[in-house]
Amino acid sequence: NNGIKKPKGYTVSYHANPEMEQMHFGQKHPMKPWRLTLTNKIVMAYGMHEAMDIYIPRAASSQELKDFHRGDYIDFLQRVTPSDNTWDPDSQTYAYNTGDDCPIFDGLYNYCSLYAGASLDAARKLTNHQSNIAINWSGGLHHAKKNEASGFCYINDIVLAILQLLLHHPRVLYIDIDVHHGDGVEQAFWSTDRVMTLSFHKYNRAEFFPGTGALDDTGPLNNASPGAHHSLNVPLHDGIEDAQYIKLFEDVVKPCVRQYKPTAIVLQCGADSLGGDRLGCFNVNIKAHGACVAFVKKFNLPLLVLGGGGYTPRNVAKAWAYETSLCIGAEVHPNLPAHTPFLEHFGNEKTLFPKLDFTRYENKNSRVYLESVVMGIMEQLRYLQG
Ligand code: ZLM
Ligand code: CA
Ligand code: ZN
């Protein structure tokens, strides 16, 4: 291979069930599970699998899914078929918020239980001390609620994995760099101080999904609630660039770790925050996205690395493969190996670091604005000193 060796002194585990990759949300739906195939092909072409423990996790059981989700919702997902989805005239939607964003497709329940099973497996490898960094690119589906689907997400694998970590860890820090707000995870842990949630996202209440995640949404307003000041949000405008994003990420994450002292970290690496994403609106390159992963790794805490959004599949695959290499601490050649399968799908630039398309979104984030956001976060963290 390319001389990629197991990292010294720590173990990286990679949790991927290839059954996931065949699933289809429908022809024109932006979510393409096939991006996972592209990711795995690049990872393997570089020989990165030699440096990790590879697991093909079993699907989560319905009992495991019900540790967070309501029983009737799981029963519905297990039973429903594309032909019998029922319209609810009261809410003007299909049952449990399924519909255009969250369609009922063939194999839906299998898909859900597989990505959730992979996140649970990854979390358990961390708590067993069999792994120090556990990766599941099929997970990170942060919008799913206890009782309903939302934004392409049906089961909240992140909440399930964090619940698993909480059996062994007093404090878990959740960091979310998907371009969308991590509302489902925030909501699940809104009133506890055992999880701090921190989401970076495009914020526009009226125009950008899901419309939540303002700077001053920081937990229950009642200061007597343990959750007060433990939900942190970094609302951003269109077009944020590499240097700004990296500095912002470091300026916010470092004090969060210093003040909160997590014993484990969960990092959702949604790749729709990359420039040129079909749904996103940032101007972040793959190296800068990866710099966030590298920065979090340096805290040397048990780390669960998850996927999430990402709607320009060739860029998603490059970003997640590069981030896999950062987790194992391997230097990889920027050019994709010539024997990479599906090389024709990776655009004209056969490199991990293509120049992304930044012509669509002008940068609306001023230095002064970003400074005010960091100030706002620091203000919340001051409450934690107790
Ligand atoms: N309509 N087809 C991010 C989740 C974003 C809500 C506006 C549905 C789409 C989008 C679906 C083929 C994560 C909204 C959208 C059309 C109400 C969203 C199906 C195109 C299509 O062509 C499409 C028929 C579809 C959905 C665009 N939906 C773009 N943005 C968001 C959800 C998930 O990345 O954070 C984590 C995985 N939904 O804006 C509408 C308000 C439904
Ligand atoms: Ca986010
Ligand atoms: Zn997203």
Side-chain angles (χ1 to χ4, degrees):
N1 65 44
N2 299 256
I4 292 187
K5 294 190 203 71
K6 277 209 191 302
K8 285 228 162 62
Y10 69 100
T11 302
V12 179
S13 59
Y14 194 83
H15 306 258
N17 192 321
E19 241 189 284
M20 283 269 319
E21 305 166 9
Q22 312 307 320
M23 303 291 182
H24 259 285
F25 279 60
Q27 264 308 302
K28 290 168 76 184
H29 196 286
M31 179 56 98
K32 308 280 183 205
W34 181 67
R35 68 207 175 122
L36 298 168
T37 306
L38 293 182
T39 304
N40 294 336
K41 294 295 181 199
I42 302 179
V43 165
M44 305 260 288
Y46 277 109
M48 294 185 215
H49 55 297
E50 312 269 5
M52 306 186 280
D53 291 340
I54 308 290
Y55 295 95
I56 302 179
R58 65 168 171 84
S61 69
S62 61
Q63 227 14 267
E64 286 171 322
L65 302 180
K66 289 175 186 176
D67 282 345
F68 172 55
H69 294 280
R70 220 168 70 186
D72 59 300
Y73 174 47
I74 299 304
D75 296 343
F76 164 82
L77 289 178
Q78 203 160 8
R79 193 183 59 226
V80 72
T81 66
S83 57
D84 68 12
N85 196 9
T86 48
W87 179 258
D88 176 355
D90 290 344
S91 63
Q92 293 285 296
T93 55
Y94 289 95
Y96 299 100
N97 199 34
T98 58
D100 286 336
D101 272 353
C102 303
I104 306 292
F105 54 86
D106 277 318
L108 171 64
Y109 185 76
N110 200 25
Y111 167 83
C112 293
S113 49
L114 284 170
Y115 75 73
S119 288
L120 281 172
D121 189 43
R124 286 178 184 134
K125 291 294 180 293
L126 293 174
T127 57
N128 282 345
H129 307 287
Q130 290 183 61
S131 178
N132 301 96
I133 303 179
I135 303 172
N136 170 23
W137 294 126
S138 70
L141 299 177
H142 57 182
H143 299 305
K145 308 289 154 48
K146 181 187 176 72
N147 198 35
E148 67 175 28
S150 174
F152 318 161
C153 307
Y154 305 81
I155 293 296
N156 201 315
D157 62 294
I158 309 170
V159 171
L160 293 170
I162 293 175
L163 289 173
Q164 193 66 42
L165 293 173
L166 288 175
L167 297 175
H168 297 81
H169 286 276
R171 287 176 307 283
V172 175
L173 173 62
Y174 171 68
I175 308 171
D176 183 318
I177 61 170
D178 190 288
V179 77
H180 299 98
H181 176 225
D183 59 346
V185 185
E186 177 183 273
Q187 193 183 94
F189 299 112
W190 184 251
S191 46
T192 178
D193 55 2
R194 293 193 57 203
V195 179
M196 172 178 276
T197 61
L198 169 63
S199 175
F200 297 77
H201 47 266
K202 151 86 177 178
Y203 176 70
N204 182 314
R205 193 161 60 92
E207 287 169 22
F208 197 74
F209 187 86
T212 48
L215 183 60
D216 57 2
D217 291 336
T218 59
L221 292 176
N222 173 6
N223 272 315
S225 167
H229 314 295
H230 285 78
S231 295
L232 299 180
N233 285 299
V234 182
L236 300 168
H237 306 306
D238 286 352
I240 190 167
E241 298 169 351
D242 293 350
Q244 284 183 319
Y245 196 86
I246 296 174
K247 177 168 166 36
L248 176 70
F249 186 83
E250 298 188 356
D251 285 353
V252 168
V253 170
K254 192 196 247 166
C256 285
V257 173
R258 192 201 299 133
Q259 298 290 344
Y260 184 60
K261 299 182 178 66
T263 60
I265 301 181
V266 176
L267 178 58
Q268 195 267 22
C269 302
D272 47 7
S273 42
L274 295 171
D277 187 81
R278 177 173 161 196
L279 298 190
C281 52
F282 288 171
N283 288 341
V284 172
N285 277 292
I286 289 172
K287 273 197 181 153
H289 200 267
C292 299
V293 178
F295 187 74
V296 171
K297 184 189 172 213
K298 284 197 291 192
F299 294 107
N300 277 320
L301 289 165
L303 176 60
L304 175 58
V305 176
L306 302 171
Y311 306 101
T312 301
R314 63 179 185 279
N315 294 337
V316 177
K318 289 173 180 183
W320 290 349
Y322 173 55
E323 288 162 9
T324 304
S325 81
L326 293 173
C327 288
I328 60 186
E331 292 240 14
V332 292
H333 195 283
N335 292 341
L336 296 178
H339 61 272
T340 308
F342 306 114
L343 205 55
E344 68 278 13
H345 289 283
F346 292 110
N348 286 327
E349 291 181 272
K350 310 292 182 200
T351 156
L352 273 183
F353 311 113
K355 266 205 187 62
L356 299 180
D357 174 18
F358 295 156
T359 55
R360 282 194 304 153
Y361 295 96
E362 190 191 328
N363 186 5
K364 303 281 195 197
N365 300 273
S366 68
R367 185 173 59 84
V368 169
Y369 175 71
L370 296 177
E371 280 170 5
S372 73
V373 169
V374 174
M375 296 271 281
I377 296 288
M378 297 304 288
E379 215 171 288
Q380 291 308 313
L381 289 174
R382 279 204 287 275
Y383 287 95
L384 265 59
Q385 293 179 318

